[in-house]
């Protein structure tokens, strides 16, 4: 956990989870579209069998593995450095930005509503959380994937503190 995240008086950290912004959603769309294109090219190479099909297939497979590897590497590095994370505490939550600095700090006593929008499609899959705060506006962030690890703990902790949707 980043040193600057625990100094807000919200208690001991209960969990930290990856979050994203609009850029993360667009990157997910681009990555999924590229992987589908690679898959379509591989199918065409098997069906049509053009000249040098093996070489072309190795290149396409290499691109797919490189994209997969870069995605996994970014996930490990960003988690290790505390980039784009949501830290849950008994007293609230802290969301960090792309550089690991706190972007939003919310105490459960300040939360008026927690809105969730779920998007599940072939190119995009995410949960958008909007935390409405008294007098401080709205804090919005995305949790990527069909069933992100953040969804259940955040909703249950918010409901336990009277800040359900």
């Amino acid at each position: 956990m980043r040193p600057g995240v625990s100094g807000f008086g919200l208690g001991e950290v209960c969990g930290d989870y990856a979050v994203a912004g609009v850029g993360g959603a667009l990157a997910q769309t681009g990555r999924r579209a590229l992987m589908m294109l690679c898959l379509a090219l591989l199918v065409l190479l098997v069906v049509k069998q053009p000249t040098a099909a093996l070489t072309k297939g190795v290149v396409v497979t290499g691109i797919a593995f490189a994209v997969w590897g870069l995605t996994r590497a970014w996930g490990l590095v960003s988690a290790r450095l505390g980039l784009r994370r949501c830290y849950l505490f008994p007293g609230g939550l802290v969301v960090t930005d792309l550089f690991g600095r706190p972007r939003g700090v919310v105490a459960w006593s300040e939360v008026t509503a927690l809105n969730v929008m779920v998007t599940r499609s072939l190119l995009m899959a995410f949960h958008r959380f909007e935390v409405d705060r008294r007098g401080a506006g709205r804090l919005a962030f995305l949790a990527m994937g069909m069933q992100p690890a953040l969804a259940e703990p955040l909703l249950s902790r918010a409901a336990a503190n009277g800040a359900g949707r």
Side-chain angles (χ1 to χ4, degrees):
M1 179 172 71
R2 303 280 302 179
V5 174
S6 60
F8 294 107
L10 299 173
E12 199 65 33
V13 69
C14 298
D16 67 299
Y17 305 92
V19 296
V22 174
L26 293 175
Q28 179 192 55
T29 302
R31 179 179 52 87
R32 287 184 176 196
L34 181 64
M35 295 301 265
M36 286 192 306
L37 179 66
C38 286
L39 181 63
L41 285 174
L42 284 173
V43 168
L44 282 175
L45 286 173
V46 170
V47 171
K48 294 282 186 178
Q49 294 183 352
T51 59
L54 181 62
T55 305
K56 292 174 184 175
V58 168
V59 169
V60 170
T61 304
I63 291 171
F65 277 123
V67 169
W68 179 81
L70 287 172
T71 302
R72 298 296 172 250
W74 173 250
L76 292 172
V77 167
S78 65
R80 178 126 175 116
L81 297 176
L83 311 178
R84 292 266 189 197
R85 308 293 289 176
C86 177
Y87 296 94
L88 293 180
F89 296 90
L93 63 97
V94 176
V95 177
T96 60
D97 64 6
L98 185 58
F99 301 106
R101 296 182 305 241
R103 180 173 67 104
V105 179
V106 181
W108 292 121
S109 59
E110 297 175 3
V111 175
T112 58
L114 175 65
N115 301 316
V116 182
M117 181 186 78
V118 179
T119 300
R120 294 180 178 154
S121 70
L122 194 56
L123 291 178
M124 297 183 95
F126 62 84
H127 286 55
R128 176 184 166 88
F129 297 99
E130 292 179 352
V131 181
D132 290 333
R133 309 180 269 186
R134 256 184 224 98
R138 178 177 291 160
L139 174 66
F141 53 92
L142 303 175
M144 307 305 280
M146 291 286 195
Q147 294 180 332
L150 172 64
E152 181 60 34
L154 178 62
L155 293 174
S156 64
R157 185 146 311 267
N161 287 294
R165 27 182 198 173

